[in-house]
Amino acid sequence: MVTQTRSLLMSSRLVKIFLVVSLVAMTRSVAADDSIDAFLEEVKELVSRETEFTSETDAKEWLARTNVALAEQNNKAATASFNYATNITNENRQKQVAAALAMNRWSNAHVIQAKKYLSNSNNFAPGSDVIRQLKIFVQGEPFVSKDAALSRKLEETSSKLQVVYTDAHLTKNGKTYYIEPELTEIMSTSRDYDELLWAWLGWRDAIGPRAKPLFTEVVTMLNLVSRQNGFSDAGEAWRVSNYEFDNIESTTHDLYEEVRPLYEQLHAYVRRKLIQKYPGRGIDPSGGIPAHLLGNMWGQQWDSIMDVVTPYPLVAADNVTGPLQSYTAKRMFKMAEDFFKSIGLDPMTSTFWNKSMIEKPRDRHVDCHGSATDFFKEGDYRIKMCSVRTGESLNTIHHEMGHIQYFMQYHRQPSIYRTGANAAFHEAVGDTITLSVKTPGHLRAMGLLKTEKPKGDSGSENDEYKKDINFLMKIALEKIAFLPFGYMIDRWRWEVFRGQVTPENYNRRWWELRRLYQGLIPPARRTQNDFDPAAKFHVSYFIPYIRYFFSFIGQFQFHEALCKAAGHTGPLQKCDIYRSKKAGDLLKSLLSLGGSKPWPESMEVITGQRKFKTDAILEYFKPLHDWLKRANAQEHVGWKNHH
Ligand SMILES: *[C@@H]1O[C@H](CO)[C@@H](O)[C@H](O)[C@H]1NC(C)=O
Ligand SMILES: *[C@@H]1O[C@H](CO)[C@@H](O)[C@H](O)[C@H]1NC(C)=O
Ligand SMILES: *[C@@H]1O[C@H](CO)[C@@H](O)[C@H](O)[C@H]1NC(C)=O
Ligand SMILES: *[C@@H]1O[C@H](CO)[C@@H](O)[C@H](O)[C@H]1NC(C)=O
Ligand SMILES: [Zn+2]
C-alpha cells in the first residue's frame, strides 16, 4: 500500500491472487456452463455416500488431495489475472473471466464436500488440525452459490465495473491522464488549487456515474449469495472470511478512538498550513479540509505535501527524491531485496526477476495498481507495479516485497494455509520493514541522504530535535493521516451491505463519514448523481479495506517487537533492524506459520500480545504529539460536523 496505500494489496483468503483479484477471487461460485451440471451430479453422488465423509482419516486424505489441486487451481487463476492486468485487452479479459469461473466451479464443488466433513466432525479428535483446515477452507469461500446464472452475472458485472475503473482517464490539450502515473503525479506535486480541482473532479466524473449502477447490482448479488451461505450480508461474510474476530466493528471503533486525539492535532496543524498556502479560498479554520489539497487523490495519505507543512523548513528535511533520480527501477528493487536478505530472509527468485512487471511498459495498457502475487508454483512469485523514482515508490516496493517474503516463508504449508495469519498481517510485513528503511540513519548508510555535517556549535542539539520533529511529521502524514480513511471505507461498505444506506444516499453518506472521521469536505458541490466511492480502486474492485487499518496499527507493534529482538535501545522511531538476524528470525517464526494458527497466536509469537493495540504507535509519535499540542495552542482542534 501502500504505504503508498495505493498499492494496497488484496489477499483473498484462499485464492491468494493478490490484488489481482477479480471478484471471483471472492465469489467463487458455480458457473453456468453445461459441463458443470455433470460435475455437480458427480459431487452429489459423492455426497450421498455418507460414509465417505465421516472419518477423520478420509478427511485427511481428502485434504491432502484438495491442497494439491488448490495449488493448481490458484496457479491457473493467478496466471490469467496477471496476464490480464499486465496486458489489458478484451481477449485477456475474457480469458481471465473464464479462469475465474472455472475456479468458482472447482471451489463450489469442494466446499460442498468440506462442509459435509465438517458436519460429521464431532467424532474427530478435539482441536484436530483437520477441522481447522476444513473450516478455513469453507470460511474462505463465503460467496459460493448453487445458482449458476447468478454466479455468472456476478462475475460479469464485477468485471465490467473494473473496466470502468481501469479505462477511466481525462484528456486536456491533447494529452491523456490516467490515474497512474499522470493524475497521481498532479495530485502529489501540483500546488495549483484549480489544477488540483480539475484532476480531483475529473477523475470522479469519469468513474462515478458509470460505476454506480454496476456497483449497486454487485452489492445486491453479493448479499444474495452471502445469505444463501448463512451470513446476514456480504459485509459479515467479509469480516468472517478475513479475520478470526468476534467483534471487529467495535474493536475498530475503539482503536480509532485511541488515536483520534493525535489525528485531530495533525489535522488542525495541516489545515492551518493549507490556509496559509491557499489564502482567499475560504478554508474554514474550524471546519473540514477540502479533500483535493492533501497530495493524494483520496486524501488518504498526506506525505506528498510535506513541502507545505514541514515544521522546521530551515532544517533540512529528509528527502530522497533527488538522489533517487539516478536510480533504475531494478536498483530500487535490489535495495529492498538487500534489506530482507540482511536480516536473513530469502532473495527474490529468478522467476521473480524474469516475470515481474516493475515499470510501466510503453507498448500496452496495464493496470498499474501495485500488487504481489503468489502463483503457487515453485519459485513463482511476482510483483506488478509502475515504479517511479520517488520515496513513495520505494515504500511501495518494500511493501509489495513484504508480501513476497510472506509467500516464500509459508510456501511449505498446505495450500489452505498459504495465507496470512489474517489479511492485516500480510499488509503489515513490508511496511514494518519500511519503518526501519526510512530512518535517517539507514538512508544515510544507503547513500540516499547526504552524510551529516559534523556537529559544531551549541545549536546542534536543538537542530537534532527539529530534525526529529520533521521526520516524525513526514511519517505521521503517511501513517496517522491514513487511519480514519482506513476505517471509513469499510465502515461505509458495512452500512451499504446491511442496507442501512440505500443507493440514493450512497454519496451523501460517504461524505458524512469522510467528514466525521477524516474531517474532509468535498471541494465542490456533490449530488446524488455523483458516486465518489467508486473513484477508489478497492471500492470498484470490491476488495475489503479494513485490513489496512489493522495493518497500520499492527506494524508498529511488529516494529517494536523486532527492535527489541535486535537489541535496540532508545526511541522507537530511531530503530533500524538492518542486518539483525535475531529480528529476522523472529519475523520468520511469524511468517512461516501462514494461516495455520489463529492470528492471536501468531501475534503472540512475535509481540507477546494477543491483540491489536495502539501503545506502540502512540509511543512512536509521542514527541510529535507533544509538539503538535504546543503548535496548536491557539488553534481550534477538531472540526464542525455539519455546514
Ligand atoms: C497481449 O495480449 C495479446 C492478446 O490479447 C497478445 O496478442 C499480445 O502478444 C500480448 N502482448 C504482450 C506484450 O504480451
Ligand atoms: C496546450 O498546449 C500548447 C502547446 O503545447 C500550449 O502552448 C498551451 O499553453 C497548452 N494549453 C493548456 C491549457 O495547457
Ligand atoms: C524533495 O525534493 C524534490 C526534488 O528534489 C522536490 O521537488 C520536493 O519539493 C522536495 N520535498 C520537500 C519536502 O522538500
Ligand atoms: C530468467 O532469465 C535468465 C536470462 O534470460 C535465464 O537464464 C533464466 O533461466 C531465467 N529463469 C527462469 C526461472 O525463467
Ligand atoms: Zn499490500
Side-chain angles (χ1 to χ4, degrees):
M1 129 177 326
V2 160
T3 38
Q4 241 335 48
T5 319
R6 278 190 270 128
S7 31
L8 303 181
L9 154 147
M10 138 204 202
S11 124
S12 137
R13 189 74 180 171
L14 290 174
V15 192
K16 270 111 243 181
I17 300 171
F18 284 82
L19 227 247
V20 175
V21 174
S22 93
L23 222 205
V24 173
M26 290 159 270
T27 63
R28 331 260 221 76
S29 31
V30 196
D33 309 359
D34 296 336
S35 62
I36 186 61
D37 295 335
F39 190 54
L40 280 182
E41 276 312 309
E42 202 181 303
V43 173
K44 249 186 249 157
E45 204 219 293
L46 271 173
V47 171
S48 68
R49 282 189 271 151
E50 289 287 321
T51 53
E52 294 268 355
F53 289 88
T54 51
S55 93
E56 188 169 352
T57 317
D58 283 356
K60 234 180 226 164
E61 282 170 13
W62 180 87
L63 277 170
R65 286 195 308 276
T66 301
N67 273 310
V68 171
L70 178 60
E72 284 164 22
Q73 294 295 329
N74 283 345
N75 179 266
K76 281 186 203 156
T79 302
S81 292
F82 192 85
N83 285 347
Y84 173 52
T86 58
N87 180 13
I88 295 183
T89 66
N90 207 30
E91 184 187 340
N92 290 340
R93 184 170 87 87
Q94 280 161 9
K95 282 186 186 157
Q96 190 256 328
V97 168
L101 287 169
M103 176 90 205
N104 290 350
R105 208 145 62 219
W106 181 88
S107 299
N108 183 68
H110 286 75
V111 163
I112 292 171
Q113 297 176 7
K115 281 182 176 165
K116 197 76 191 168
Y117 277 122
L118 272 178
S119 67
N120 290 321
S121 64
N122 315 355
N123 56 353
F124 292 8
S128 161
D129 184 63
V130 168
I131 297 178
R132 179 171 173 82
Q133 282 201 45
L134 291 167
K135 269 196 186 144
I136 297 282
F137 182 64
V138 170
Q139 267 177 14
E141 308 295 334
F143 302 122
V144 292
S145 165
K146 294 188 193 87
D147 185 337
L150 174 61
S151 298
R152 179 166 287 270
K153 183 98 193 298
L154 179 53
E155 198 56 48
E156 279 168 358
T157 313
S158 50
S159 179
K160 274 187 212 154
L161 178 54
Q162 292 170 12
V163 169
V164 168
Y165 188 95
T166 41
D167 274 359
H169 59 271
L170 313 186
T171 47
K172 187 165 79 170
N173 211 5
K175 189 170 182 282
T176 306
Y177 297 77
Y178 284 98
I179 186 66
E180 287 188 62
E182 296 87 5
L183 292 172
T184 300
E185 163 109 13
I186 289 177
M187 295 308 294
S188 77
T189 59
S190 172
R191 301 292 174 257
D192 175 336
Y193 190 99
D194 296 314
E195 187 185 25
L196 289 167
L197 188 57
W198 169 79
W200 191 95
L201 275 178
W203 177 243
R204 280 156 181 79
D205 290 347
I207 296 183
R210 280 194 289 160
K212 188 169 173 180
L214 297 167
F215 177 90
T216 309
E217 269 188 82
V218 173
V219 166
T220 306
M221 289 187 276
L222 279 180
N223 273 339
L224 263 174
V225 284
S226 301
R227 292 197 187 104
Q228 287 169 357
N229 289 319
F231 298 104
S232 54
D233 60 64
E236 191 192 31
W238 268 2
R239 293 189 294 273
V240 170
S241 66
N242 283 292
Y243 303 88
E244 294 167 286
F245 241 117
D246 291 333
N247 43 5
I248 189 165
E249 291 189 72
S250 60
T251 304
T252 320
H253 186 79
D254 294 348
L255 290 170
Y256 170 70
E257 284 298 323
E258 288 169 27
V259 294
R260 190 160 59 97
L262 173 54
Y263 178 74
E264 287 181 353
Q265 291 288 345
L266 182 68
H267 176 278
Y269 170 77
V270 167
R271 178 179 54 200
R272 180 168 78 246
K273 290 289 176 183
L274 289 171
I275 291 171
Q276 291 163 5
K277 179 79 188 171
Y278 301 102
R281 294 292 184 167
I283 305 175
D284 180 350
S286 59
I289 300 174
H292 65 312
L293 302 178
L294 294 156
N296 177 280
M297 184 56 92
W298 307 277
Q300 67 183 53
Q301 284 166 308
W302 308 348
D303 42 318
S304 294
I305 57 160
M306 182 64 183
D307 56 316
V308 179
V309 304
T310 305
Y312 295 106
L314 295 181
V315 176
D318 306 326
N319 186 352
V320 299
T321 304
L324 279 178
Q325 297 318 300
S326 65
Y327 276 52
T328 58
K330 180 84 178 266
R331 185 166 168 207
M332 289 166 75
F333 273 77
K334 281 286 178 190
M335 180 184 158
E337 182 191 40
D338 170 69
F339 195 106
F340 285 103
K341 275 161 56 184
S342 87
I343 60 171
L345 274 73
D346 295 331
M348 298 294 105
T349 62
S350 59
T351 308
F352 173 88
W353 292 114
N354 284 4
K355 303 218 163 148
S356 287
M357 180 190 99
I358 66 175
E359 280 179 296
K360 186 167 186 166
R362 301 203 172 273
D363 60 342
R364 56 193 195 269
H365 186 36
V366 300
D367 165 14
C368 274
H369 199 103
S371 69
T373 305
D374 185 351
F375 283 75
F376 283 77
K377 205 171 208 169
E378 192 56 41
D380 196 350
Y381 313 99
R382 303 179 209 170
I383 285 175
K384 122 178 124 40
M385 66 177 283
C386 302
S387 45
V388 291
R389 296 181 197 107
T390 63
E392 285 172 38
S393 227
L394 195 61
N395 289 348
T396 305
I397 291 169
H398 285 85
H399 174 89
E400 302 304 343
M401 204 174 278
H403 288 303
I404 305 281
Q405 290 291 348
Y406 215 154
F407 299 152
M408 293 199 289
Q409 288 297 324
Y410 61 50
H411 87 275
R412 286 190 191 82
Q413 293 281 353
S415 300
I416 288 174
Y417 289 155
R418 288 176 69 170
T419 179
N422 69 30
F425 279 57
H426 228 302
E427 297 307 332
V429 179
D431 286 16
T432 302
I433 296 303
T434 309
L435 290 176
S436 285
V437 172
K438 277 197 272 235
T439 55
H442 185 80
L443 293 176
R444 256 196 304 280
M446 295 291 108
L448 281 171
L449 283 184
K450 288 202 195 80
T451 315
E452 200 83 345
K453 283 194 213 103
K455 279 184 228 159
D457 48 4
S458 53
S460 61
E461 196 177 314
N462 197 22
D463 276 4
E464 260 332 286
Y465 173 73
K466 290 176 179 172
K467 271 186 196 157
D468 288 350
I469 294 300
N470 278 351
F471 169 75
L472 283 176
M473 177 62 74
K474 180 104 194 286
I475 309 291
L477 294 171
E478 191 190 316
K479 305 291 183 183
I480 299 299
F482 177 77
L483 289 168
F485 182 77
Y487 177 26
M488 65 77 53
I489 297 259
D490 276 357
R491 174 67 202 269
W492 178 79
R493 287 192 293 194
W494 293 336
E495 292 183 5
V496 165
F497 284 132
R498 261 198 289 267
Q500 284 169 306
V501 194
T502 52
E504 314 80 75
N505 290 313
Y506 277 170
N507 216 49
R508 188 187 53 73
R509 181 59 178 162
W510 173 260
W511 281 106
E512 266 175 23
L513 293 175
R514 291 269 266 171
R515 183 191 285 265
L516 181 64
Y517 291 110
Q518 292 185 277
L520 303 190
I521 55 171
R525 205 171 93 84
R526 310 311 282 154
T527 72
Q528 64 192 29
N529 297 324
D530 297 311
F531 186 51
D532 297 327
K536 175 68 188 159
F537 178 89
H538 298 71
V539 174
S540 277
Y541 276 68
F542 279 83
I543 300 170
Y545 208 74
I546 201 68
R547 60 188 56 178
Y548 300 111
F549 175 85
F550 283 108
S551 161
F552 274 47
I553 303 273
Q555 60 191 248
F556 287 89
Q557 293 171 267
F558 295 170
H559 183 57
E560 186 180 48
L562 296 180
C563 290
K564 204 166 145 205
H568 173 80
T569 53
L572 188 54
Q573 68 272 16
K574 295 211 190 257
C575 163
D576 171 17
I577 63 166
Y578 192 55
R579 296 202 173 126
S580 168
K581 298 283 188 287
K582 282 185 181 153
D585 285 346
L586 184 60
L587 185 57
K588 271 197 232 176
S589 65
L590 165 77
L591 302 185
S592 57
L593 287 174
S596 64
K597 298 277 182 280
W599 70 262
E601 283 181 39
S602 299
M603 175 73 97
E604 197 167 17
V605 164
I606 183 163
T607 67
Q609 302 160 341
R610 296 178 62 88
K611 284 191 165 129
F612 285 98
K613 297 176 86 164
T614 56
D615 308 44
I617 191 170
L618 292 177
E619 189 204 318
Y620 185 100
F621 288 108
K622 176 90 174 23
L624 180 72
H625 197 171
D626 292 341
W627 182 89
L628 282 167
K629 280 191 245 177
R630 288 196 302 275
N632 289 334
Q634 311 300 322
E635 213 60 38
H636 175 93
V637 175
W639 53 86
K640 289 174 274 181
N641 269 320
H642 40 79
H643 288 292

